[in-house]
């Protein structure tokens, strides 16, 4: 049975500032959505995610999934003879690009099942069509990372892949705060505050850009102590534009005190995920502190490959 996986993502630097044309750095991480396909009557389902699209009985409770079927059918790739089952390790609605990873894994697995080559370009195009349904005006950063993997610099709607040597003993610890937020609402609120204090906010956003410039150097030279400090500064800026909260700061400070190199909220903020850069020697300490807060640490590394078939198919 062909199965495909696609990674989720984090934003290492630059969220919110990117909305005003500043650069951001995103990274695909080793937390995955998976789809397996066998012969059937045109069904995509996920008990875990509450998805059911059944072409035989015309049930569609997920328009993004339906769009993927439509796009692949339109291209002559897909017939109605599939039964796809989706599972995911990626927290939903937390800024980890769950919808993009699910869409990429599904488009890839359906294409392989149908006997066609699942090129990165094809999976990107199809998953982006689904992203347009899930999110108003998506930047494309989420499905670019789920399809291509790696670490990317994003600016003005264009992407540059960064070739970084990531050390074996450095982890990204991801913590889902389990506090739900709407990216659209947080972005709108931040933009209205920007309008109220433009001279102050423009300086904060410039500092955000300077952090990305410094972070690129730290990544290229392998200076992960500096990278962590830059994450701390970035979190401070995000707090100053009101996208942290007492609950998020409690997580951030607990992880900091447990010895992380750097910690920040990732994505829209006011909830969602907190990410930490952690050396192997501090990994268990950090994980235990997260568990003491009643939360679960996800120990991740960069995913450099993006969407792919699971062995023995790929
Ligand atoms: O949806 P999230 O949590 O990954 O956040 C998106 C990042 C923002 O910069 C806040 C919004 C955007 O469209 O870039």
């Amino acid at each position: 049975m062909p199965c495909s996986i696609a990674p989720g993502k984090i934003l290492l630097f630059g969220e919110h500032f990117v909305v005003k044309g500043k650069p951001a750095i995103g990274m695909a991480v080793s937390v995955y959505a998976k789809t397996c396909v066998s012969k059937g009557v045109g069904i995509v389902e996920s008990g875990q995610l509450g998805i059911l699209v059944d072409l035989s009985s015309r049930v569609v409770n997920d328009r993004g999934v339906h769009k993927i079927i439509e796009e692949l059918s339109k291209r002559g790739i897909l017939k109605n003879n599939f039964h796809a089952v989706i599972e995911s390790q990626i927290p939903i609605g937390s800024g980890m690009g769950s919808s993009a990873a699910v869409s990429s894994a599904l488009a890839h697995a359906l294409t392989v099942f149908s006997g066609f080559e699942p090129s990165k370009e094809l999976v990107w195009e199809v998953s982006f069509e689904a992203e347009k349904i899930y999110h108003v005006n998506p930047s494309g950063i989420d499905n670019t990372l789920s399809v291509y993997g790696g670490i990317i610099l994003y600016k003005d709607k264009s992407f540059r892949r960064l070739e970084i040597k990531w050390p074996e003993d450095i982890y990204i610890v991801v913590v889902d705060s389990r506090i739900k937020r709407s990216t659209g609402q947080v972005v709108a609120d931040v933009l209205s505050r920007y309008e109220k204090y433009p001279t102050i906010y423009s300086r904060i956003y410039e500092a955000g850009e300077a952090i990305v410039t410094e972070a690129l150097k730290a990544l290229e030279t392998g200076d992960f102590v500096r990278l962590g400090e830059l994450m701390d500064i970035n979190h401070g800026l995000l707090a100053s534009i009101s996208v942290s909260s007492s609950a998020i700061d409690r997580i951030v400070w607990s992880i900091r005190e447990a010895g992380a190199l750097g910690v920040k909220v990732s994505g829209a903020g006011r909830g969602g995920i907190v990410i930490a850069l952690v050396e192997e020697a501090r990994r268990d300490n950090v994980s235990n502190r997260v568990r003491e807060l009643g939360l679960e640490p996800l120990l991740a590394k960069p995913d450099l490959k993006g969407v792919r078939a699971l062995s023995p198919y790929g």
Side-chain angles (χ1 to χ4, degrees), residues 16-282:
H16 285 289
F17 314 136
V18 75
V19 175
K20 285 283 194 182
K22 303 297 185 197
I25 300 177
M27 180 197 272
V29 287
S30 58
V31 181
Y32 297 98
K34 176 172 123 182
T35 300
C36 295
V37 188
S38 54
K39 280 214 172 91
V41 293
I43 293 175
V44 177
E45 62 168 326
S46 173
Q48 183 198 2
L49 303 177
I51 296 172
L52 181 61
V53 174
D54 182 346
L55 301 179
S56 63
S57 57
R58 297 174 192 225
V59 175
V60 175
N61 77 357
D62 189 303
R63 285 177 50 236
V65 165
H66 192 249
K67 184 75 179 168
I68 288 167
I69 296 170
E70 254 178 26
E71 290 292 320
L72 291 174
S73 304
K74 201 169 81 183
R75 289 168 171 78
I77 291 171
L78 196 62
K79 301 193 187 76
N80 290 353
N81 61 345
F82 56 86
H83 188 139
V85 178
I86 302 170
E87 287 169 40
S88 181
Q89 307 169 318
I90 305 170
I92 299 163
S94 304
M96 280 197 81
S98 160
S99 63
V102 164
S103 300
S104 306
L106 176 63
H108 191 279
L110 288 173
T111 305
V112 173
F113 170 78
S114 306
F116 287 84
E117 173 64 27
S119 70
K120 296 281 193 195
E121 292 74 16
L122 170 73
V123 179
W124 191 93
E125 274 175 31
V126 171
S127 58
F128 193 55
E129 289 304 318
E131 283 292 272
K132 285 192 224 161
I133 289 178
Y134 292 123
H135 306 287
V136 192
N137 201 8
S139 65
I141 199 166
D142 288 10
N143 73 308
T144 298
L145 284 166
S146 69
V147 170
Y148 291 95
I151 306 174
I152 60 171
L153 176 68
Y154 173 82
K155 189 172 190 251
D156 296 331
K157 297 217 174 274
S158 71
F159 303 99
R160 178 159 73 83
R161 189 180 170 106
L162 305 171
E163 296 307 334
I164 305 298
K165 220 174 148 321
W166 193 269
E168 278 296 310
D169 63 343
I170 300 277
Y171 290 81
I172 294 284
V173 177
V174 182
V175 181
D176 181 8
S177 68
R178 299 183 189 147
I179 301 163
K180 299 291 171 209
R181 80 285 182 272
S182 145
T183 296
Q185 266 170 21
V186 181
V187 168
D189 185 54
V190 168
L191 287 175
S192 77
R193 285 165 191 249
Y194 191 112
E195 294 313 315
K196 200 166 171 191
Y197 301 105
T199 51
I200 299 170
Y201 268 59
S202 59
R203 286 173 171 84
I204 296 172
Y205 282 44
E206 272 164 30
E209 181 167 31
I211 290 174
V212 169
T213 306
E214 288 293 329
L216 288 173
K217 285 189 225 155
L219 279 165
E220 274 153 22
T221 57
D223 190 341
F224 286 82
V225 170
R226 204 170 165 94
L227 196 75
E229 288 168 355
L230 291 165
M231 287 170 70
D232 287 339
I233 303 173
N234 197 147
H235 182 75
L237 294 187
L238 290 169
S240 78
I241 62 165
S242 84
V243 301
S244 193
S245 66
S246 58
I248 291 293
D249 274 343
R250 208 162 18 251
I251 300 170
V252 166
W253 277 104
S254 298
I255 296 176
R256 241 176 226 160
E257 285 163 6
L261 294 173
V263 196
K264 65 184 276 295
V265 73
S266 168
R270 295 190 186 160
I273 55 164
V274 169
I275 59 168
L277 194 68
V278 180
E279 291 167 297
E280 183 141 37
R282 301 293 175 136

